[in-house]
């Protein structure tokens, strides 16, 4: 690395630290054990050295020995090196093997912070652990590198079922709930004689729209078939009632005609009998008239029987029409009652499953699995002076080297209750 590049890099780092302090409203960063500094001397490019700040706050340089740098800012480190190194004697071996003494001026010295101490992310994140620090790094960026928040990890350290299994069971219960929810909506539509029903996804459901759409389509097809079958059966019974009514009309007309015929035959028999008694007619004529009256009376009697049967059949069709509708409604109401009971059971199990998935110390409200926002509490554990402090921050706060970022879910979860 040439002198000019090192100088520019040092200036950029110092500007970054200054910007970091302004953005996060913190003091300029001070060197601590674990940081790495890079010291460069312009007249001696091959003497650029990196040194790690030791536990006692010193760095070790071959020509200068141990130098205390802990607690220095980037600009103070630069000034410190410009004070120390020009007082030292540097020997440079030339290409011909001779040694040459080099005098170092303060402006020849550059000192930058090459690597910072790592930060640590812990708590309810997908992959907690150590991360390399970058200037101007925010809590949001640190959480992103850790994979973001993880509701399931919040219970991973607790005894009990695997959180992944609990989440699977929770979503399976949502499948049962959605199926019963759509089934109940279909039954209500069928009771009202409607050809369609509300196919919206139940509020809070984590199921994909395609899965819910498939369930709704199956219920819609069942509704279509049920309504079609019921209407066909009712139409059949109505047609039977109409046919019976028409048959009754025909039989009533025939009954009137045959009644008039019987009356005429009776009058004819009375006239023939009177003539026979007077000796004006033979037995054969009297027998023929009597036979005609018997035939007309038998026909009238048969018509009366058929008319009675037709009326009974008409009444049967009417009663069957009403009974069919009533039995259907009773069946649907029973199905709706059973469906509501199953919905209540699944709802209770959903609440229980969501509570099992709650983070430690969380509220007892149902846990949102998908499509919802939860509140998380982020704390930075930072050493300020000689003591460690916990700072409650938001996700836009600036992180400093050596910080530990703790992500925990707060006691309040914004969730949608099972409807």
């Amino acid at each position: 690395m040439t002198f000019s590049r090192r100088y520019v890099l040092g200036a950029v780092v110092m500007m970054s630290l200054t910007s970091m302090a302004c953005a996060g409203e913190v003091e300029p960063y001070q060197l601590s054990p674990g940081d790495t500094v890079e010291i460069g001397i312009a007249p001696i490019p091959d003497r650029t050295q990196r040194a790690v700040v030791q536990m006692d706050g010193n760095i070790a340089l071959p020509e200068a020995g141990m130098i205390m740098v802990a607690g220095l800012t980037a600009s103070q480190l630069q000034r410190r090196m410009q004070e120390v190194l020009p007082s030292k004697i540097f020997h440079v071996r030339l290409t011909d093997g001779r040694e040459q003494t080099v005098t170092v001026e303060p402006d020849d010295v550059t000192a930058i912070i090459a690597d910072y101490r790592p930060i640590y992310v812990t708590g309810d994140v997908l992959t907690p652990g150590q991360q390399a620090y970058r200037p101007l790094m925010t809590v949001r960026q640190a959480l992103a590198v850790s994979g973001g928040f993880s509701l399931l990890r919040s219970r991973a350290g607790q005894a009990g079922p695997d959180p992944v299994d609990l989440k699977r069971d929770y979503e399976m219960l949502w499948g049962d709930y959605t199926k019963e929810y759509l089934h109940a909506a279909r039954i209500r539509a069928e009771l009202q004689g409607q050809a369609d029903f509300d196919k919206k996804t139940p509020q809070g459901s984590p199921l994909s729209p395609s899965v819910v759409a498939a369930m709704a389509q199956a219920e819609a097809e069942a509704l279509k078939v049920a309504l079609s079958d019921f209407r066909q059966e009712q139409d059949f019974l109505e047609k039977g009632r109409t046919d019976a009514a028409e048959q009754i009309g025909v039989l009533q007309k025939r009954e009137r005609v045959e009644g008039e015929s019987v009356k005429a035959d009776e009058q004819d028999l009375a006239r023939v009998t009177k003539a026979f008694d007077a000796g004006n007619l033979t037995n054969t004529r009297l027998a023929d008239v009597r036979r005609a009256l018997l035939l007309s009376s038998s026909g009238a009697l048969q018509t009366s029987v058929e008319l009675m049967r037709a009326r009974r059949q008409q009444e049967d069709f009417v009663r069957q029409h009403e009974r069919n509708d009533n039995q259907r409604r009773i069946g649907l109401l029973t199905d709706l009652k059973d469906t509501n009971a199953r919905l209540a059971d699944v709802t209770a199990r959903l609440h229980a499953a969501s509570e099992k998935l709650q983070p430690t110390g969380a509220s007892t409200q149902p846990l949102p699995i998908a499509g919802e926002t939860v509140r998380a509490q982020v704390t930075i554990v930072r050493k300020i002076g000689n003591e460690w402090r916990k700072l409650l921050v938001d996700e836009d706060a600036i992180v400093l080297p050596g910080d530990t970022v703790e992500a925990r879910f707060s006691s309040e979860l914004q969730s949608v209750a099972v409807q």
Side-chain angles (χ1 to χ4, degrees):
M1 179 184 294
T2 64
F3 170 72
S4 58
R5 291 181 61 189
R6 288 198 303 272
Y7 182 80
V8 171
L9 180 59
V12 169
V13 171
M14 285 190 287
M15 290 175 62
S16 298
L17 289 171
T18 303
S19 301
M20 177 179 65
C22 295
E25 297 183 357
V26 295
E27 295 296 327
Y29 178 67
Q30 296 178 343
L31 284 167
S32 295
D35 292 327
T36 301
V37 299
E38 182 175 291
I39 311 300
I41 302 174
I44 318 174
D46 58 350
R47 288 294 182 90
T48 299
Q49 303 176 48
R50 286 196 172 197
V52 178
V53 181
Q54 305 299 316
M55 291 297 297
D56 58 2
N58 289 298
I59 59 172
L61 297 178
E63 292 82 2
M66 305 299 291
I67 303 174
M68 174 61 68
V69 296
L72 300 181
T73 64
S75 59
Q76 291 171 343
L77 173 66
Q78 173 74 18
R79 289 195 297 270
R80 177 64 174 154
M81 293 299 103
Q82 288 176 339
E83 293 172 357
V84 173
L85 294 183
S87 64
K88 307 301 179 183
I89 298 176
F90 293 88
H91 299 280
V92 179
R93 185 173 298 277
L94 301 177
T95 56
D96 58 4
R98 292 178 300 141
E99 285 191 355
Q100 179 181 355
T101 301
V102 177
T103 302
V104 177
E105 298 295 332
D107 291 340
D108 295 335
V109 178
T110 60
I112 63 171
I113 304 175
D115 288 316
Y116 296 89
R117 290 173 294 155
I119 64 170
Y120 303 88
V121 181
T122 184
D124 301 334
V125 293
L126 189 62
T127 54
Q130 175 181 304
Q131 293 182 19
Y133 176 80
R134 294 292 180 268
L136 298 179
M137 193 174 196
T138 64
V139 170
R140 189 185 308 277
Q141 292 167 339
L143 293 175
V145 175
S146 296
F149 293 109
S150 173
L151 285 168
L152 296 181
R153 191 172 184 87
S154 63
R155 291 184 66 93
Q158 301 182 21
D162 187 343
V164 175
D165 293 337
L166 292 176
K167 183 175 182 293
R168 179 201 61 202
D169 295 342
Y170 182 77
E171 294 187 349
M172 288 178 63
L173 286 173
W174 260 115
D176 294 340
Y177 180 89
T178 303
K179 180 179 68 176
E180 299 296 346
Y181 176 89
L182 294 172
H183 185 62
R186 191 263 286 181
I187 294 174
R188 286 191 289 269
E190 190 173 350
L191 280 169
Q192 297 171 5
Q194 298 175 350
D196 198 7
F197 61 94
D198 185 4
K199 302 183 183 68
K200 290 190 300 185
T201 302
Q203 187 177 12
S205 174
L207 301 181
S208 66
S210 60
V211 172
V212 178
M215 293 182 179
Q217 183 62 31
E219 290 294 341
E221 291 294 331
L223 174 62
K224 180 180 178 181
V225 171
L227 288 177
S228 176
D229 183 67
F230 173 71
R231 286 168 182 164
Q232 287 179 4
E233 188 171 356
Q234 292 298 86
D235 290 344
F236 172 78
L237 294 174
E238 181 62 24
K239 185 177 184 302
R241 186 194 67 78
T242 303
D243 292 345
E246 292 177 356
Q247 185 180 11
I248 289 172
V250 172
L251 290 173
Q252 285 176 335
K253 290 180 180 179
R254 193 170 76 182
E255 185 182 42
R256 286 194 298 270
V257 171
E258 289 179 344
E260 293 173 355
S261 178
V262 169
K263 186 176 181 180
D265 287 344
E266 288 176 345
Q267 292 175 353
D268 190 27
L269 177 61
R271 181 176 56 78
V272 170
T273 300
K274 184 177 180 180
F276 176 78
D277 291 341
N280 296 327
L281 292 176
T282 63
N283 286 334
T284 303
R285 174 59 180 161
L286 180 60
D288 290 340
V289 172
R290 287 177 176 174
R291 189 179 300 110
L293 176 60
L294 179 61
L295 289 175
S296 61
S297 298
S298 298
L301 180 61
Q302 184 177 359
T303 300
S304 297
V305 172
E306 291 180 6
L307 181 59
M308 186 182 301
R309 186 182 299 116
R311 285 172 175 165
R312 185 180 300 112
Q313 189 176 27
Q314 183 187 40
E315 292 174 357
D316 289 342
F317 278 122
V318 172
R319 284 197 301 269
Q320 183 62 30
H321 190 280
E322 295 175 352
R323 186 184 304 113
N324 193 44
D325 183 55
N326 291 336
Q327 288 179 345
R328 167 180 167 273
R329 291 188 63 83
I330 291 173
L332 289 174
L333 290 172
T334 301
D335 192 4
L336 182 60
K337 180 190 68 175
D338 294 340
T339 301
N340 287 333
R342 290 193 297 271
L343 272 174
D345 177 66
V346 175
T347 300
R349 287 190 286 153
L350 267 175
H351 279 289
S354 67
E355 289 176 6
K356 291 179 182 178
L357 282 169
Q358 291 296 321
T360 304
S363 71
T364 58
Q365 295 298 318
L367 178 68
I369 293 297
E372 299 179 29
T373 302
V374 297
R375 291 182 179 178
Q377 179 175 294
V378 180
T379 304
I380 289 180
V381 181
R382 177 178 296 164
K383 189 173 185 180
I384 301 177
N386 294 324
E387 63 180 17
W388 290 93
R389 296 183 185 177
K390 286 190 174 183
L391 309 175
L392 188 62
V393 299
D394 59 28
E395 295 183 29
D396 294 321
I398 298 296
V399 180
L400 295 182
D403 282 352
T404 297
V405 179
E406 294 183 350
R408 300 290 181 189
F409 289 103
S410 65
S411 59
E412 295 183 0
L413 286 177
Q414 296 177 342
S415 61
V416 177
V418 178
Q419 301 298 314

